[in-house]
Every structure is written in structure tokens, then in C-alpha cells.
Amino acid sequence: MAIVPDVPYFDVSDPDFSVSSAEVLAARERSWYARTNFGIAVLRYEQTSALLKDRRLRQGSIAWPEQHGITEGLLHRWWSLLMLSAEGDDHRRLRRLANPAFSRALMEEMVPGFRLLAGELIDAFADRGRCEFVSEFAEPYSARVLCRLVGLDESRWRDLSHWSTDIGLSFGVTIARDQDRIEAGLRNMYGLAEELIAERRREPGGDVISALVAAHDGEGRLSHEELGAMITLIVFGGMDTTKNQLGLALQLFIDHPDQWELLARDPEIAPRAVEEVIRWNPTVVWTTRRAVEDLTVDGLDIPAGTTVHLLSPPANTDPLAVGDEPFDITVERRAHFGFGGGAHHCLGHWLARIDMREALPILARRLRRPQLERAPVLRPISGVTGPVELPITFDPGVDA
Amino acid sequence: MRVTVDEQTCDHHGQRTIACPEVFNLVSPDKLEYVAEPDESLRDCVEEAEAACPTLSILIED
């Protein structure tokens, strides 16, 4: 690729790089893509939509550990086994095994439990009129939902959450620096997976682990290594993302008190609120693809092997596709890219959509007029992002 | 069994093709082909595709 002077350039490995920065949004105005230290980054809606689904590209983060000098060991092996790293027939086999456990119908069955859990967590701090939202709500809520999904004793939620946070560091640009911590998280999570496998073998249930164990034991459609990797991916993938997305949601609503009031008054708009929150402030800020053959997109030659980062915040808010629209939870808009797209579209999107759809209106009714008590502590905006600490004050409200 | 795909809401992620290639074929990111009246023996596979579609764009009529 010849360097064209007008095309923006971003170092996406720079810990200070932000996909939502003014610099990125300004770049989107003049170019649909930017060059990066890995390849290119896509900034606009139409090209993001097309490239996510284009089968001339494969899921691109398969080389992520290697791009950071991690060429062997537990993290490297785990990464290579992930469904995220699989393509073609292997991917199809794994996806079909996992899909039924995440259907919308099954997730809707969990709704009464989601509501009770949200209420119980809020009860614990509501009278104080203040809380640290991440540790007192977002984290226990998503971790305990995950415990229920995989049939694990809910008292173990803290372990689950900590290990997920450690593993989540593998998607960030500091993966090499964090390798020891990530691998410790993986060893713990694999231990948990073995425990769950043994339990379900003794006593099968209707849960996702039982279905995967049956696929391994009965028909050999899943190797033991794949079984372990699948369980760690399900637990980690559903835990860290929802926790962060709930924190990001609250941050947005603190900045838009009128929208929080709307949600408190009309829980019917909760499904749209979830979509609008993810459109504006997605926890997964980019999806990665890699060209498996030479292709040309809007005049740009993309040689085989090129890494393509699809940056969801600029694409989700691209004025060419959705207009220059403010944060508004009452409007139905074109689909966002917060769950990626194409063959690797997020497996657990119904779980995320439904558990947030239930939690947000309850929070809106009980945490009236939320405000920051002090500045939140933020994770760097790369890979999976969100607040680490979000201390807030609010006026206690009643869930009518 | 009759299958309809809502082209207005369908976002062409290809999840149906992964779940049931016997009935659905995403030829390119904007072109989906499918068997409108698949054989009854493919019901499980079509229902799997219906559940896997992220935008709920498949309608199955008996």
C-alpha cells in the first residue's frame, strides 16, 4: 500500500489512543479509513457493515498474541482454540453447538430472576443515596447472571468476576505486559471449567455446560480442549462485557438526566435504550478482520494479510448513515456494531440485551437524579472498555 | 412448512447459513438465497436458523 498523505494515521497500540476521540471523529469526516500500525482502521458505517460480513476476510484477532510477541504458552494455546479464532467448517461446528444455549427464548425465561436480582442488589445500598456502581451493581449483577447461566453456585461470583477481568486484559493493547496475570486468570477459569464438566457428567441439567459436555461425550463433536476453551469463553465473554456496558450506560445517563427520567417513566422503551447506549458507548470498541485474499474497497487496495480494525464508535455515529443524531433512547435507528457482525456476530447478544433491558429501567426508577460523586476511574479505551470505579450519589426512588 | 425472510430487517450476518446451509445461502453480503418451501425433514435445521438469526428476520409457517 502506497502512503497517501491525506489519509489519517493512528497508532492503535498507544495506550492513550481513543476510538471515540475528537481526532478519530475528525478523521472520519475526511476519510472512510485510517492507516494504523497494524493495517487499516475503518471509520464509517457502510464500509464497516460490508467488511464485517465479507467472506474474503477472516476474524482478525487470531494473530493478536503473536503480534505482541506471545508465541507459546497457555494464553497462546487458549487463543488458538477459541471459537473466535475458528473459521469455516470448524467455526460452523462450534457455533452450532453453542447457539441453542443462547436463544432468545431461553434468555427470556431468566427475566423474573433478573428483576429480583436487580432489586436485591439495589436494596443493599439504596438507603445510603450513594454507591460505587461497578462493585455494588454492575459486577455482581453480571457475574451472578453468568453463574445462573452455567449452573454455578452464586456465592462464587467474585472469583468469576476477577478471573474474567484478568482474562479480558488479553484483548487490550497491553497484552504482553499483562501476560502473567492473564494466564493466572486462565488457569483459574480452566479449573472452574473442569469442575463444571465433572459435575454435569454426574448430574446433567438443561444448562449450556450440560449440552456441551453431551456434545463431547456422546458424539465426539467437541474435543476436550475445545470444551474447556468454550466454557472459559462463555464465562469470560458474558461477564466482563455486561459489567462494563452497564457502567458505560450509567455514565451516559448521568450526562443525559432527561433520558434517565424518560426510562423511569416508560420501561417499554428499555429495549431501544439498550441499543442506543451500545451505539454511543459500546464496551467492545473494535472488531478485527484480516484479509485472506487481495480485495479492493471503494478504490482502496487491501492486500491479503492486511489487518482491518473496525472501530464501532465512529461507525455507529457516522452522520452519513444515521445523521448527526444526539443520544436519544426513544428513536429506533439502524443496527449498531456493538456486537460485531457476520459469522462471528456476538453469540451472547440476547443475554446482554435482555439482562440490561431488565436492569436499566429498575435502576432508573430507584436511582433518581444520579450524579458523579467523584471522577470515575476508567480503563484505557481499547479492546473491552468501561469504568473500573463509578462512585455516584442519587435520590432513592421507589420501584412501583 | 413455508419460510419467509424479512428483507427489511435482515442484516445478512450469515448466521442462518451457518445454522442451516441446506435451506439458506448468503451468496454475498447483500444477497440471500433460500428455499421457500423446504422439506419437512429440515424442520429442526430451519428452527435452529430461526433462533440463531440476530435480527429475528425468519418467519416459519406450517
Side-chain angles (χ1 to χ4, degrees), chain A residues 239-250:
Chain A
M239 163 65 228
D240 216 35
T241 42
T242 305
K243 175 185 88 177
N244 281 289
Q245 194 63 65
L246 280 168
L248 291 167
L250 200 74

Side-chain angles (χ1 to χ4, degrees), chain A residues 50 53-55 91-92 95-96 99 103-104 335 340-345 349-350 353, chain B residues 11-13 15 17-22 25-29 48 51-54 56:
Chain A
K53 300 158 196 166
D54 194 320
R55 281 181 287 188
H91 175 259
R92 177 167 184 260
R95 182 90 194 198
R96 288 189 70 179
N99 265 344
S103 73
R104 186 189 189 194
H344 292 279
H345 185 283
H349 70 105
W350 286 122
R353 285 179 150 133
Chain B
D11 221 359
H12 297 109
H13 291 292
Q15 290 299 332
T17 310
I18 290 173
C20 189
E22 295 87 342
N25 179 24
L26 188 61
V27 184
S28 66
E48 196 186 314
C53 172
L56 303 174

Side-chain angles (χ1 to χ4, degrees), chain A residues 10 12 17-21 24-25 27-28 32-34 36 40-45 48 52 282 284-288 308-318 337-338 381 383:
Chain A
F10 300 124
V12 300
F17 171 72
S18 159
V19 293
S20 306
S21 64
V24 170
L25 298 184
R28 180 186 64 192
W32 67 264
Y33 70 97
T36 73
I40 65 166
V42 179
L43 310 172
R44 290 186 189 166
Y45 190 100
T48 297
L52 275 174
V284 179
V285 295
W286 65 50
T287 311
T288 319
V308 181
H309 278 99
L310 303 131
L311 308 189
S312 47
N316 289 343
T317 57
D318 178 2
F337 304 110
I381 303 187

Side-chain angles (χ1 to χ4, degrees), chain A residues 85-244:
Chain A
S85 301
E87 293 289 339
D89 289 345
D90 261 350
H91 175 259
R92 177 167 184 260
R93 173 176 56 88
L94 296 171
R95 182 90 194 198
R96 288 189 70 179
L97 284 170
N99 265 344
F102 289 90
S103 73
R104 186 189 189 194
L106 281 179
M107 300 304 125
E108 293 285 2
E109 283 178 16
M110 296 172 77
V111 162
F114 293 162
R115 292 180 184 164
L116 287 172
L117 177 58
E120 180 194 322
L121 292 169
I122 297 168
D123 286 344
F125 60 73
D127 291 346
R128 268 188 268 147
R130 53 162 42 88
C131 72
E132 196 289 283
F133 184 74
V134 176
S135 60
E136 294 190 85
F137 189 88
E139 188 177 6
Y141 183 75
S142 29
R144 288 174 64 179
V145 164
L146 248 294
C147 286
R148 292 173 187 194
L149 184 79
V150 298
L152 182 73
D153 188 334
E154 270 178 65
S155 66
R156 305 270 302 271
W157 72 265
R158 277 178 212 278
D159 282 345
L160 214 66
S161 175
H162 293 160
W163 303 339
S164 298
T165 303
D166 292 344
I167 296 172
L169 295 168
S170 60
F171 287 83
V173 295
T174 51
I175 176 174
R177 192 194 72 194
D178 296 328
Q179 185 177 358
D180 289 347
R181 194 173 149 194
I182 297 165
E183 296 198 334
L186 278 174
R187 271 190 293 277
N188 285 322
M189 200 68 96
Y190 268 116
L192 175 86
E194 290 301 338
E195 206 182 301
L196 286 169
I197 292 165
E199 260 176 42
R200 292 309 179 287
R201 224 169 244 153
R202 280 197 306 273
E203 215 176 314
D207 64 302
V208 56
I209 309 293
S210 298
L212 294 174
V213 168
H216 169 266
D217 292 357
E219 304 125 68
R221 284 182 297 157
L222 195 63
S223 74
H224 188 80
E225 249 195 321
E226 286 173 332
L227 178 58
M230 184 77 97
I231 293 171
T232 57
L233 178 67
I234 286 171
V235 174
F236 148 74
M239 163 65 228
D240 216 35
T241 42
T242 305
K243 175 185 88 177
N244 281 289

Side-chain angles (χ1 to χ4, degrees), chain B residues 1-48:
Chain B
M1 171 174 47
R2 187 167 176 81
V3 175
T4 322
V5 173
D6 183 342
E7 288 285 344
Q8 294 301 308
T9 57
C10 173
D11 221 359
H12 297 109
H13 291 292
Q15 290 299 332
R16 283 179 294 247
T17 310
I18 290 173
C20 189
E22 295 87 342
V23 174
F24 302 97
N25 179 24
L26 188 61
V27 184
S28 66
D30 52 12
K31 187 160 181 257
L32 174 76
E33 288 175 353
Y34 62 98
V35 182
E37 292 188 27
D39 189 83
E40 194 55 34
S41 63
L42 291 167
R43 179 172 290 276
D44 283 355
C45 163
V46 174
E47 286 178 352
E48 196 186 314

Side-chain angles (χ1 to χ4, degrees), chain A residues 1 9-10 12-13 32-42 51 56-68 286-295 300-311:
Chain A
M1 284 184 284
Y9 176 86
F10 300 124
V12 300
S13 299
W32 67 264
Y33 70 97
R35 295 191 186 283
T36 73
N37 49 319
F38 291 113
I40 65 166
V42 179
L51 286 170
R56 292 174 297 175
L57 298 100
R58 58 158 296 143
Q59 204 281 340
S61 62
I62 185 162
W64 185 250
E66 282 162 20
Q67 283 166 337
H68 294 83
W286 65 50
T287 311
T288 319
R289 293 287 182 269
R290 193 169 65 178
V292 289
E293 57 184 89
D294 295 344
L295 65 154
L300 173 69
D301 291 329
I302 302 177
T306 303
T307 293
V308 181
H309 278 99
L310 303 131
L311 308 189

